[in-house]
Amino acid sequence: MIASAVPPVVPAGHLAERQQPVLTLSSGMELRPWRAGDVGTLMAAGQDPAIRQWNLLVVASPAEAAKRIERMHERWQNEQGAIWAIADPDGGEAVGLIGLSDIDLAGGSAEVVYWVLPAGRGRGVVVEATKRLSRWAFDDLGLHRLRLCHSMANPASCRVAAKAGFLVEGTMRSALLHEDGWHDQHLHALVQGDI
Ligand SMILES: CC(C)(COP(=O)(O)OP(=O)(O)OC[C@H]1O[C@@H](n2cnc3c(N)ncnc32)[C@H](O)[C@@H]1OP(=O)(O)O)[C@@H](O)C(=O)NCCC(=O)NCCS
């Protein structure tokens, strides 16, 4: 282990040693772990032009979708990611994805990622899910800072971030390569105590 002048914000093992919880939303929907049966949702997401454009998601086959779902569970165990399906309760089909990627337990930070299929859009579900996930990340996991980045050409995501309380901290120039070239990105963040 490499020594640091400050202790880890969240000790290693803190994520892997717990089961991924189901987080309920006041709208009645829930955030639950992805299941093998959610392959169809991932396939649909891979075919949606907006999700492909902004999340860079391509899903070539049901086998690849199944592999992606397995990898979500591996990333929880490796403490690298915590990814939920946004779904109706009682075994309902997933309509979207939300989670934390690039988790740095020692540094106390992670990045929020999300998408929703067209049928689930326009109902505020991602704003609600982002708020619920943020509460879990701060209160249950113990992280200190969450960042949320989106292309400057994606105003819907900017609005979601702002409505969930993530302040704009600046513009990262030429920060992410999309299919049509490099995009500037907005950096939003939420810090313990903001909510
Ligand atoms: C971005 C996304 C998650 C937002 O989910 P959504 O269900 O469409 O969001 P909502 O309908 O709750 O809208 C949230 C806010 O954004 C606004 N909004 C939606 N589309 C917009 C657009 N094209 N331009 C500006 N604002 C927009 C809504 O009006 C709403 O704000 P308001 O309540 O003040 O009116 C969803 O559209 C999506 O998955 N898009 C494709 C992939 C993507 O962009 N992923 C994010 C990568 S960073």
Side-chain angles (χ1 to χ4, degrees), residues 48 50-51 54-55 114-117 120-127 148-151 154-157 159-160 163:
D48 178 66
I51 296 174
W54 300 125
N55 297 90
Y114 48 63
W115 52 255
V116 189
L117 291 178
R121 290 179 198 157
R123 292 191 263 141
V125 69
V126 183
V127 173
L148 199 165
C149 306
H150 64 82
S151 163
N154 187 355
S157 191
R159 191 76 193 115
V160 167
K163 286 187 81 177

Side-chain angles (χ1 to χ4, degrees), residues 28-159:
M29 297 196 81
E30 65 183 22
L31 310 184
R32 57 144 174 90
W34 281 80
R35 303 173 181 148
D38 293 322
V39 158
T41 299
L42 269 191
M43 289 296 294
Q47 279 153 22
D48 178 66
I51 296 174
R52 180 185 173 114
Q53 163 81 351
W54 300 125
N55 297 90
L56 308 181
L57 181 70
V58 176
V59 187
S61 64
E64 192 193 311
K67 190 109 202 105
R68 281 179 176 275
I69 292 169
E70 271 173 38
R71 219 173 63 204
M72 292 180 204
H73 293 281
E74 286 165 15
R75 287 172 74 202
W76 179 281
Q77 282 308 316
N78 300 337
E79 307 196 306
Q80 294 168 336
I83 309 292
W84 279 262
I86 305 171
D88 282 318
D90 304 325
E93 234 175 83
V95 296
L97 171 150
I98 188 158
L100 303 176
S101 72
D102 201 17
I103 294 177
D104 174 7
L105 291 181
S109 71
E111 178 165 348
V112 175
V113 293
Y114 48 63
W115 52 255
V116 189
L117 291 178
R121 290 179 198 157
R123 292 191 263 141
V125 69
V126 183
V127 173
E128 199 192 356
T130 304
K131 288 181 176 170
R132 183 67 189 89
L133 172 64
S134 304
R135 276 257 75 95
W136 177 86
F138 290 151
D139 298 350
D140 295 285
L141 186 56
L143 296 183
H144 178 71
R145 177 183 159 88
L146 298 176
R147 68 182 178 282
L148 199 165
C149 306
H150 64 82
S151 163
M152 295 295 287
N154 187 355
S157 191
C158 193
R159 191 76 193 115

